[in-house]
Amino acid sequence: MVFHPIDMYGCSGLAGGTQGGGAAGVPNDVKLRWYRIRPPLVKRSGITGWAINFAVGCTHACPFCYVDAINRRYPRRGLEDLITSTGWGGYLAVPTNILEAIKETPWWRWRGREVFMSSAHDPYLPALARWAREILRRALPAGLRIILHTRSILYKRDLRMFEQYRDRIRIHASVATMSRLHRIIEPRAPPPRVRVRVLAEASSRGLSTGASISPILPPNKYNPDVYNDLLAVAEALAEAGVEVVYGESLHKRGDNVMRLSSLLGTDLNLRGWDRHAEKLFYRAIGEYGLRGVWIPEW
């Protein structure tokens, strides 16, 4: 039986069509589209090795994200017009056959493998959380080692399930800043302190946790003192009990720098910034005894 994922959220529509938001958890200005996905859901990723991606697009609308550039360069067949005609954060495509694909994925093939969830969208978007939960209900018992990467806090509902497989999952939250800058660059994500609070709850339950401080932007009017902001992030993550912190500056992909410059009202000077941001990152997390890994521009 093939379930219609959007119908389950109280939104009627024909598979393959496009309509504005209005489904539960989907902003009204986001265009929805449906497509069919081919199992298995675990696929090779040039960035993370193995990854689970089960949607196209993301409603967080973070202007720095470079997934949109990848989607435009390699659009999924049938979604070309949606991707090319809509700005990042303005589209979300969900498979009509997602439950079928979950059931048909031979999860046992990746037993013992580390799998990233997800590299092309947030798996715990409000419109996707139930499918993320269903995937994990099958992947974790099958023995996959999941890195759950999210800016959402909806995984909090599943902490009890995660506790049963604490040796197979690491919850990895992404926090770019503690300053008011987050309102500009993470417009639809929960506030950073809320994300860290839920991460701390996961740590307190004995779950493995990590975090990304990404992207670290050059000084701007919303966050003029980058180092002190990094100290604030590092302090919060240390108190949350994270085991490892990844750092990353703004990586130029597609038009993300242009989008950010327009929103911030200033040109972003990235010359030499990656190396300088790396030094600030290690200095800040070192103040709180955190173990860190820098992801350089490539």
Side-chain angles (χ1 to χ4, degrees):
M1 183 176 183
V2 179
F3 290 83
H4 197 301
I6 303 301
D7 285 347
M8 287 186 172
Y9 283 94
C11 177
S12 61
L14 297 176
T18 303
Q19 65 179 67
V26 180
N28 288 329
D29 57 349
V30 172
K31 294 181 180 178
L32 296 175
R33 177 74 64 88
W34 300 276
Y35 70 103
R36 290 187 64 81
I37 195 168
R38 182 181 298 176
L41 293 182
V42 182
K43 291 183 168 63
R44 282 283 188 184
S45 168
I47 299 176
T48 60
W50 294 101
I52 299 171
N53 293 303
F54 54 99
V56 177
C58 185
T59 57
H60 283 330
C62 303
F64 53 79
C65 187
Y66 44 79
V67 170
D68 187 48
I70 298 172
N71 287 348
R72 288 173 185 271
R73 188 172 182 180
Y74 306 105
R76 185 179 290 269
R77 184 176 299 176
L79 299 177
E80 295 91 342
D81 64 317
L82 177 72
I83 294 169
T84 58
S85 66
T86 313
W88 181 244
Y91 63 85
L92 180 67
V94 184
T96 59
N97 63 327
I98 181 63
L99 187 55
E100 179 183 286
I102 293 171
K103 291 180 177 180
E104 292 181 359
T105 296
W107 299 102
W108 54 268
R109 286 188 188 173
W110 293 274
R111 182 179 294 116
R113 298 274 190 177
E114 191 171 83
V115 180
F116 198 84
M117 182 175 168
S118 299
S119 61
H121 61 83
D122 193 315
Y124 268 87
L125 291 174
L128 300 179
R130 68 184 306 159
W131 306 114
R133 184 173 302 117
E134 188 62 31
I135 288 169
L136 292 168
R137 280 176 179 161
R138 293 170 185 265
L140 292 172
L144 279 70
R145 296 168 54 216
I146 300 290
I147 299 176
L148 179 63
H149 184 76
T150 182
R151 275 184 162 82
S152 174
I153 59 171
L154 294 181
Y155 67 86
K156 179 178 179 179
R157 302 173 184 175
D158 300 324
L159 291 179
R160 182 173 297 178
M161 174 177 66
F162 298 164
E163 286 179 296
Q164 300 175 49
Y165 306 100
R166 65 178 75 246
D167 61 331
R168 301 178 193 173
I169 187 167
R170 184 173 85 211
I171 301 168
H172 198 173
S174 192
V175 180
T177 178
M178 286 295 179
S179 73
R180 61 185 180 131
L181 177 65
H182 82 87
R183 299 172 186 170
I184 306 296
I185 66 172
E186 300 172 323
R188 292 179 181 147
R193 293 196 180 278
V194 175
R195 275 174 265 165
V196 173
R197 191 182 309 138
V198 177
L199 193 66
E201 181 176 345
S203 297
S204 72
R205 296 176 120 177
L207 294 168
S208 177
T209 58
S212 290
I213 306 178
S214 171
I216 300 172
L217 299 182
N220 55 79
K221 67 180 180 180
Y222 296 98
N223 185 25
D225 193 335
V226 175
Y227 180 64
N228 275 331
D229 183 44
L230 284 172
L231 284 174
V233 177
E235 180 181 22
L237 294 178
E239 291 177 353
V242 302
E243 297 171 14
V244 62
V245 182
Y246 292 83
E248 185 177 12
S249 69
L250 177 64
H251 293 178
K252 184 177 181 180
R253 303 288 186 271
D255 64 353
N256 64 344
V257 174
M258 182 178 69
R259 291 198 304 263
L260 273 170
S261 295
S262 177
L263 286 169
L264 297 175
T266 184
D267 290 333
L268 291 173
N269 182 9
L270 298 179
R271 186 174 182 179
W273 177 247
D274 192 70
R275 185 67 182 274
H276 185 59
E278 178 183 7
K279 293 178 180 178
L280 295 180
F281 167 77
Y282 279 119
R283 182 179 161 199
I285 66 171
E287 288 289 326
Y288 291 94
L290 292 168
R291 180 164 63 95
V293 177
W294 182 255
I295 303 173
E297 173 66 288
W298 43 272

